[in-house]
């Protein structure tokens, strides 16, 4: 199953149209006249009033961390200097498509969000940061069509896992490599050209634009999420997500089991949360709600909203080994602890999958998964640690079973691929 779906209540505004209209929209780019007729590019509000509304409804960033959007906007506004705004459309997570879809099909909504963010922070210019060629074409066309607004440029980068990290975004916009840098300073303090910089995910900005156009529905807009749903058909060497690429807009609190149904994975045995950032979750996963705080309390993370459902025949050890192998290959190789830590995790998980672990292996994995987070310039080692730690938490019997009895499927598959193929999905 592939497609674009909205599960929002009928008549409530969203970034995805109701199903029938969404099917039409997904074939083309947002039309400026249609966007204007729907309230887009409306007169600029009193900046403080819109910011207060964003704070009141609790809009959180959609780039992965779920940081309160109003707090970030105010920090940029209050920093010394003239701010700038960067719309971050570089999806590092291989299982996420929402940002590319928005830039390809709703570019005016994103540009309107930049305009509003600039008004709230006092910024005088902006950038759209991306790596997707179709998205770039759509954005450039929309820039030529839009009404007057702050000057906005487009910066293209190479697609990597770390290229969307906010300090990597700043470095690339400044003409350097798309690699994270040590913090502080953070971009809100000193970003592009040394100016206070708002690096905001494109979905966050699009939701701000929709809230401005439909203020009566601000709660619905703020508490809906774009989620990318995928899944495999069972363990096999070099497994890919097959035909399950679904982009959906759903209310916060939707049970993960309902999302598995939506992409035809009702029988899934477990789930990989938040792209590769949220870790694996086993028993009870279907009853978990789509909610930052409640997923965190359960030991996971919503991240960018990408959910990969594992078929009952999928081996969670193999999935974890592939995820960490990919992360190790994607390391920026700037932080020694990341290079050595993610490589050690990847090599050890590969040994577990081959049935070559010893009685000390689980203990080493646990120590590394607890000691690695927070020690790199970006979240890549944190993601690797969470995947390894969640495997031990939710599937200790499978890890031990590989040590004692082996796993023919894992042994026959050879070394786990490090290209992310299992998790990569096409843009619907």
């Amino acid at each position: 199953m592939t497609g674009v779906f909205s599960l929002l209540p009928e008549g409530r505004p969203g970034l995805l149209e109701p199903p029938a209209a969404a099917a039409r929209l997904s074939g083309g780019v947002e039309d400026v006249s249609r966007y204007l007729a729907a309230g887009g590019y409306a007169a600029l509000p009193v900046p403080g009033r819109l910011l207060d509304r964003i704070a009141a409804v609790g809009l959180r960033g959609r780039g992965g961390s779920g940081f309160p959007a109003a707090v970030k906007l105010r920090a940029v506004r209050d920093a010394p200097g003239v701010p700038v705004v960067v719309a971050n459309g570089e999806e590092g997570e291989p299982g996420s498509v929402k940002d590319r879809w928005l830039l390809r099909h709703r570019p005016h909504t994103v540009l309107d969000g930049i305009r509003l963010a600039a008004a709230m922070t006092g910024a005088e210019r902006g950038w759209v940061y991306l790596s997707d060629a179709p998205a770039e074409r759509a954005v450039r066309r929309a820039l030529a069509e839009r009404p007057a607004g702050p000057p906005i440029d487009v910066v293209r980068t190479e697609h990597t896992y770390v290229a969307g990290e906010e300090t990597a975004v700043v470095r690339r916009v400044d003409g350097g490599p798309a690699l994270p840098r040590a913090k502080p300073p953070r971009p809100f303090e000193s970003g592009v050209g040394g100016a206070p910089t708002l690096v905001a995910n494109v979905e966050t900005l699009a939701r701000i634009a929709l809230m401005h156009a439909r203020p009566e529905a601000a709660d619905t807009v703020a508490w809906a999420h774009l989620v990318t749903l995928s899944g495999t058909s069972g363990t096999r060497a070099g497994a890919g997500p097959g035909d399950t690429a679904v982009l959906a807009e759903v209310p916060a609190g939707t049970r993960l089991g309902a999302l598995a149904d939506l992409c035809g994975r009702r029988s899934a045995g477990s789930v990989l949360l938040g792209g590769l950032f949220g870790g694996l979750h086993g028993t009870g996963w279907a009853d978990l709600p789509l909610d930052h705080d409640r997923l965190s309390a359960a030991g996971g993370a919503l991240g960018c909203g990408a959910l990969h459902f594992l078929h009952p025949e999928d081996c969670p050890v193999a999935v974890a080994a592939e995820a960490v192998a990919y992360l190790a290959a994607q390391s920026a190789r700037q932080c020694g602890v990341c290079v050595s830590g993610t490589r050690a995790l990847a090599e050890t998980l590969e040994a577990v999958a081959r049935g070559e672990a010893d009685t000390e292996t689980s203990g080493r994995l646990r120590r590394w998964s607890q000691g690695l987070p927070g020690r790199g310039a970006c979240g890549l080692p944190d993601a690797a640690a969470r995947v390894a730690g969640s495997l031990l938490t939710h599937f200790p019997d499978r890890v031990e079973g590989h040590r004692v009895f082996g796993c023919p499927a894992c042994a026959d598959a050879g070394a786990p691929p490090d290209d992310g193929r299992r998790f990569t999905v096409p843009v619907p």
Side-chain angles (χ1 to χ4, degrees):
M1 179 187 298
T2 60
V4 179
F5 300 93
S6 173
L7 295 187
L8 299 184
E10 185 175 354
R12 307 305 286 175
L15 296 175
L16 305 186
E17 303 284 329
R24 294 195 300 272
L25 181 61
S26 64
V29 180
E30 185 173 47
D31 179 72
V32 66
S33 59
R34 176 183 175 186
Y35 185 66
L36 289 166
Y41 295 120
L44 287 171
V46 176
R49 189 174 302 164
L50 178 57
L51 212 164
D52 288 344
R53 184 184 307 145
I54 291 170
V57 299
L59 178 67
R60 299 174 73 158
R62 296 299 196 268
S65 67
F67 193 76
V71 173
K72 197 170 186 179
L73 286 160
R74 285 174 175 149
V76 173
R77 180 197 63 185
D78 296 341
V82 180
V84 298
V85 175
V86 181
N88 185 2
E90 168 50 16
E91 291 177 295
E93 291 287 359
S96 180
V97 300
K98 68 182 182 68
D99 296 337
R100 281 170 290 165
W101 193 95
L102 283 172
L103 290 171
R104 290 183 185 189
H105 300 293
R106 302 296 303 266
H108 283 292
T109 307
V110 174
L111 296 178
D112 200 3
I114 296 175
R115 177 186 74 110
L116 294 166
M120 287 185 283
T121 59
E124 295 182 354
R125 66 176 304 183
W127 283 267
V128 179
Y129 177 80
L130 46 74
S131 65
D132 181 59
E136 181 180 6
R137 290 193 293 270
V139 169
R140 291 191 182 279
R141 172 182 165 185
L143 282 169
E145 296 173 339
R146 69 178 177 131
I152 297 174
D153 296 318
V154 179
V155 173
R156 180 93 170 262
T157 189
E158 293 298 318
H159 173 69
T160 67
Y161 189 85
V162 301
E165 194 274 338
E166 63 176 5
T167 63
V169 173
V170 168
R171 288 182 74 177
R172 182 68 187 93
V173 174
D174 272 339
L179 297 173
R181 69 182 186 196
K183 301 176 281 288
R186 292 188 174 274
F188 80 87
E189 298 167 310
S190 178
V192 175
T197 301
L198 176 72
V199 180
N201 175 260
V202 295
E203 183 188 348
T204 311
L205 293 168
R207 293 204 176 277
I208 289 172
L210 189 55
M211 287 171 58
H212 181 50
R214 297 289 300 274
E216 79 286 356
D219 286 342
T220 299
V221 173
W223 286 92
H225 292 268
L226 294 182
V227 293
T228 309
L229 312 174
S230 63
T232 53
S233 300
T235 300
R236 60 187 185 275
D243 60 352
T244 56
V246 170
L247 176 65
E249 188 165 21
V250 302
T254 302
R255 301 290 171 178
L256 302 193
L259 300 180
D261 289 348
L262 188 62
C263 70
R265 287 293 173 260
R266 181 189 300 268
S267 63
S270 50
V271 63
L272 182 61
L273 297 166
L276 305 183
F277 185 75
L280 290 158
H281 204 99
T283 302
W285 68 268
D287 291 326
L288 290 174
L290 191 79
D291 178 87
H292 277 286
D293 294 334
R294 292 164 78 180
L295 287 177
S296 178
L302 177 56
C304 64
L307 304 174
H308 182 81
F309 299 101
L310 277 61
H311 189 276
E313 294 180 3
D314 278 330
C315 176
V317 174
V319 173
E322 288 187 32
V324 178
Y326 171 76
L327 291 168
Q330 288 288 307
S331 170
R333 289 168 170 73
Q334 297 184 132
C335 305
V337 69
C338 175
V339 173
S340 60
T342 55
R343 183 176 62 230
L345 284 173
E347 290 173 351
T348 305
L349 286 171
E350 181 182 351
V352 173
R354 291 198 307 260
E356 298 174 1
D358 57 33
T359 56
E360 304 299 320
T361 297
S362 291
R364 289 196 298 271
L365 284 173
R366 196 174 303 280
R367 287 194 301 274
W368 293 336
S369 66
Q370 293 171 348
L372 195 55
R375 299 184 63 191
C378 69
L380 185 146
D382 302 49
R386 193 189 296 270
V387 171
S390 63
L391 176 69
L392 296 173
T393 297
H394 291 278
F395 303 98
D397 55 331
R398 300 296 292 269
V399 175
E400 181 66 6
H402 276 64
R403 184 183 72 82
V404 176
F405 305 109
C407 174
C410 287
D412 292 344
D418 63 7
D419 55 6
R421 73 184 69 169
R422 178 190 290 268
F423 314 105
T424 304
V425 296
V427 181

